[in-house]
Amino acid sequence: MNAAPQAVTAKVLPANAATGSTLPALNAWVAQVAASTQPDAIHWCDGSDAESAMLIEKMQADGTLHPLNAQTHPNSWLHRSNPDDVARVEHLTFVCTSDRDDAGPNNHWMAPADAHARIDALFDGCMRGRTMYVIPYCMGPIGSPLSRCGVEITDSRYVVANMRIMTRMGAPALKRIEAEGHFVKGLHSIGELDPERRFIMHFPEELTIKSYGSGYGGNALLGKKCHALRIASHQARSEGWLAEHMLILGIENPQGETHYIAAAFPSACGKTNLAMLIPPEGYRRDGWKVSTIGDDICWMRPGEDGRLYAINPEAGFFGVAPGTSQKSNANAMATIQHDTIFTNVGVTADNQPWWEGIGNGQVPVTDWRGDPFDPATRPAAHPNSRFTVSARQCPSYSDMAEDAKGVPISAIVFGGRRASLVPLVFEARDWTHGVLVGASMGSETTAAATGAVGVMRRDPMAMKPFCGYNYGDYFAHWLSFDKPGAKLPKIFHVNWFRKDADGKFVWPGFGDNLRVLEWMIGRVNGTTEAVETPIGALPAPGAINLDGLALAEDSRRLLFDYDRDGWRQEFAGIAAYLDEYGERMPQALKAEQRRIAELLETAS
Ligand code: O2Y
Ligand code: MN
């Protein structure tokens, strides 16, 4: 089915396996897109090795990909994006629902007809002289009932190469789409890469995405944030499941019992590091093991036993390079040793990828823009530079990630970067409280999205840029899972980023985060102690194993205390925040906020 490029008369595509699909609706859509975008050729992607080799050859020839050192990084490539196209662009990202309130104050909105008109005008004739690639893909294991399929049409070979890593793409996905008869439509063109002519539009009611003018990450790999979060969150609401911005990891204790934990952190808050955590030496000796199911997105649905079962809809990692090192994430470093696409990193004299924080003693000679490296001009790697790599290359990747029924979730963790106030960990008293914890979480911004860095903003459930509908309705959907027969996970909040008076992080983080996860598992099993406070249950003194950590008494206090006055202010801020969503904010969530605010006034 790896069709030779064909001249397009853009009338009718043959409905046969050689050049198209057996699904008339898919052929018709491809023909309609070809008629408007006018490509020179159409290529239906089958996902084969031969196809990949052909694309890589073309990308090397046109300078899209540069080979890296084949001895140290076999089969690995450097891509330099347009310098104006290096991150998600929230201000150009729209959710286009018939009723503005359905998109909610958490999204930029445009009326569907206006949005189609604006973006279709850009697509008009935009693929002249280019090949149009048709990428059938499946988000999640091909055989899983929790998976959902889509087709991305793009004129970017880089997108095809990334989608091949990040999704189950090609012939098996097309087969499933043809059997199901429906799919999410994603249309993408890099256009002129002009920020003035750039939009990422979502039409949840039509299960359609249109993205123009960016070739980068979340703007262009439409299976990821556009489909697996914005469109899927809408689908999930109508079908009774959850599409979340969460990593999934498995923890096996020395008794051989495995618990799966899903965790939501805002962008670039160390999710990939946590998903690939390596237990501290003593824990490894005692038999603790951590396995990775996913590092970014989690789809969960109640199983027949009332528990939530989760899959990772992705097949690869699109991870932030800066800060990734042997110390922070040895599993990631092993994963990206071969068959990896690096985007916007620096390179060393012997052509190895390099980024700030890599900590391998090497030095960059060329920066991410291809200029000689000069620290006075810019960092060697862009702060949002990335690696794209298959999850199967990760030493901690779990076979359970391919399990069609998903993994049962024991605990959900919310977290953010909070320099002050928020303790290392606390447990929500029940599901409603947990939903409030998720709804009110906040973090200091990072470079993953364009805009100011280091500013605290609320990012409920780390879904602010990704929830495809009104947050009020989204919280109501979360609350609706608490029904008779449900055996829901416990919900926790963590803060790895608390700082002391000198501005230093108090908690060592990385592998030592397992100490906190161990406490959570103890809470799930009912074997670990906690102290009730108005904000939730904090670890009882001694309940978290701190053996071997050099933590001063002051640091321990910062990690485990709660400051009642500070929380009173925080809860006033939470009330104001919930009010911003008006009538759609569930009363139950506001009542929960009031319950805790009152406790903070009265409890000692
Ligand atoms: O910057 C982008 O284009 C992508 S953003 C991203 C990529 C992978 C995982 N998470 C994120 C994010 O912003 O949360
Ligand atoms: Mn993410």
Side-chain angles (χ1 to χ4, degrees):
M1 206 194 344
N2 190 11
Q6 57 184 25
V8 173
T9 51
K11 293 280 187 313
V12 191
L13 285 174
N16 62 47
T19 52
S21 163
T22 57
L23 187 64
L26 175 52
N27 287 335
W29 176 58
V30 171
Q32 181 207 328
V33 170
S36 91
T37 59
Q38 298 285 312
D40 279 12
I42 299 178
H43 178 103
W44 287 71
C45 297
D46 64 5
S48 65
D49 290 345
E51 178 181 83
S52 170
M54 178 274 289
L55 291 171
I56 285 175
E57 199 179 301
K58 282 187 194 291
M59 283 190 279
Q60 260 192 270
D62 71 12
T64 305
L65 290 187
H66 306 275
L68 289 164
N69 186 319
Q71 269 72 50
T72 59
H73 292 76
N75 244 327
S76 296
W77 312 91
L78 168 66
H79 171 74
R80 293 193 179 103
S81 75
N82 183 301
D84 287 330
D85 186 27
V86 291
R88 287 187 287 104
V89 280
E90 288 175 23
H91 63 294
L92 301 173
T93 300
F94 290 81
V95 169
C96 311
T97 45
S98 333
D99 179 347
R100 184 181 199 134
D101 285 345
D102 287 344
N106 45 305
N107 282 300
H108 297 293
W109 176 85
M110 207 183 284
D114 295 345
H116 281 302
R118 285 206 54 188
I119 201 161
D120 287 353
L122 300 176
F123 277 115
D124 208 8
C126 72
M127 294 191 193
R128 268 186 215 116
R130 299 179 186 172
T131 297
M132 179 174 113
Y133 296 90
V134 182
I135 313 170
Y137 64 86
C138 180
M139 300 309 296
I142 291 275
S144 172
L146 281 73
S147 301
R148 292 290 180 275
C149 290
V151 178
E152 174 165 359
I153 295 179
T154 180
D155 54 9
S156 161
R157 295 187 189 105
Y158 168 79
V159 166
V160 180
N162 278 269
M163 286 291 283
R164 184 166 189 265
I165 296 173
M166 295 303 298
T167 71
R168 280 88 172 170
M169 172 270 245
L174 181 58
K175 205 163 150 210
R176 176 165 169 162
I177 289 168
E178 287 169 341
E180 288 183 332
H182 53 83
F183 57 94
V184 169
K185 293 177 185 158
L187 173 55
H188 168 254
S189 171
I190 54 173
E192 306 82 13
L193 293 174
D194 174 357
E196 299 299 318
R197 286 165 59 81
R198 179 175 296 162
F199 286 114
I200 295 94
M201 310 278 206
H202 303 76
F203 304 90
E205 292 148 357
E206 303 164 44
L207 300 184
T208 294
I209 305 153
K210 293 184 178 178
S211 164
Y212 187 90
S214 167
Y216 195 82
N219 305 332
L221 314 179
L222 301 186
K224 193 171 177 60
K225 304 297 187 178
C226 298
H227 178 163
L229 289 176
R230 297 194 192 95
I231 295 289
S233 58
H234 169 95
Q235 273 182 306
R237 181 185 175 210
S238 53
E239 297 173 5
W241 49 282
L242 290 164
E244 299 303 321
H245 189 202
M246 292 179 178
L247 65 89
I248 311 166
L249 56 73
I251 301 176
E252 186 183 326
N253 65 17
Q255 293 73 48
E257 178 193 46
T258 301
H259 284 276
Y260 294 95
I261 294 182
F265 298 88
S267 306
C269 254
K271 271 170 76 182
T272 302
N273 297 347
L274 184 63
M276 299 179 191
L277 181 151
I278 295 180
E281 174 61 34
Y283 278 76
R284 283 206 296 278
R285 238 189 354 253
D286 290 348
W288 289 83
K289 294 186 189 118
V290 174
S291 57
T292 309
I293 304 286
D295 79 328
D296 197 41
I297 301 179
C298 164
W299 287 357
M300 292 182 275
R301 161 190 295 268
E304 278 171 11
D305 59 0
R307 299 187 72 185
L308 288 183
Y309 283 79
I311 60 164
N312 168 16
E314 301 192 281
F317 307 124
F318 186 62
V320 178
T324 307
S325 68
Q326 234 11 74
K327 176 167 178 259
S328 68
N329 194 337
N331 277 326
M333 291 302 277
T335 308
I336 60 181
Q337 213 50 55
H338 63 97
D339 292 276
T340 302
I341 299 173
F342 295 90
T343 299
N344 293 341
V345 298
V347 283
T348 62
D350 66 346
N351 213 19
Q352 296 190 47
W354 193 95
W355 49 83
E356 280 67 21
I358 193 168
N360 60 2
Q362 297 176 356
V363 287
V365 295
T366 307
D367 71 21
W368 63 275
R369 291 179 67 159
D371 294 332
F373 173 58
D374 172 3
T377 311
R378 65 179 77 98
H382 186 276
N384 194 31
S385 55
R386 300 279 173 160
F387 50 78
T388 318
V389 67
S390 167
R392 288 176 188 271
Q393 291 182 200
C394 180
S396 58
Y397 191 55
S398 165
D399 288 347
M400 289 302 288
E402 304 295 331
D403 194 304
K405 69 175 192 320
V407 295
I409 298 295
S410 299
I412 289 176
V413 180
F414 296 118
R417 277 175 191 270
R418 297 294 299 262
S420 57
L421 183 68
V422 182
L424 179 64
V425 59
F426 62 89
E427 175 191 331
R429 83 168 188 162
D430 57 17
W431 185 256
T432 302
H433 180 204
V435 174
L436 180 69
V437 169
S440 53
M441 71 190 238
S443 195
E444 288 148 15
T445 52
T446 69
T450 51
V453 173
V455 177
M456 150 72 187
R457 68 172 183 184
R458 289 205 189 277
D459 185 356
M461 289 156 178
M463 283 288 278
K464 181 97 194 298
F466 308 120
C467 181
Y469 61 102
N470 189 313
Y471 252 151
D473 296 338
Y474 171 77
F475 300 137
H477 181 51
W478 263 82
L479 292 171
S480 75
F481 284 79
D482 190 5
K483 51 182 159 216
K487 295 201 181 71
L488 295 168
K490 275 187 175 288
I491 297 181
F492 298 87
H493 187 281
V494 298
N495 177 23
W496 314 133
F497 300 98
R498 186 84 186 245
K499 289 185 174 167
D500 64 17
D502 299 329
K504 294 213 181 79
F505 290 118
V506 178
W507 180 246
F510 304 116
D512 287 309
N513 292 338
L514 182 58
R515 297 167 187 271
V516 177
L517 302 180
E518 179 189 13
W519 179 75
M520 291 176 192
I521 292 171
R523 296 297 296 161
V524 168
N525 285 339
T527 55
T528 291
E529 298 305 311
V531 179
E532 298 297 332
T533 77
I535 62 162
L538 277 100
I544 290 196
N545 172 19
L546 301 177
D547 291 354
L549 294 182
L551 284 176
E553 197 43 48
D554 277 1
S555 302
R556 286 175 198 233
R557 205 161 11 80
L558 283 177
L559 289 170
F560 299 113
D561 263 9
Y562 95 99
D563 156 15
R564 194 163 72 147
D565 288 343
W567 278 101
R568 279 185 188 144
Q569 281 180 36
E570 178 77 5
F571 266 75
I574 292 170
Y577 183 73
L578 298 183
D579 281 344
E580 285 175 25
Y581 291 88
E583 302 223 318
R584 297 225 186 175
M585 184 54 66
Q587 288 305 321
L589 217 54
K590 293 174 126 185
E592 184 65 5
Q593 182 281 335
R594 284 196 299 273
R595 181 187 72 79
I596 297 173
E598 276 162 27
L599 271 180
L600 283 164
E601 291 306 325
T602 53
S604 53

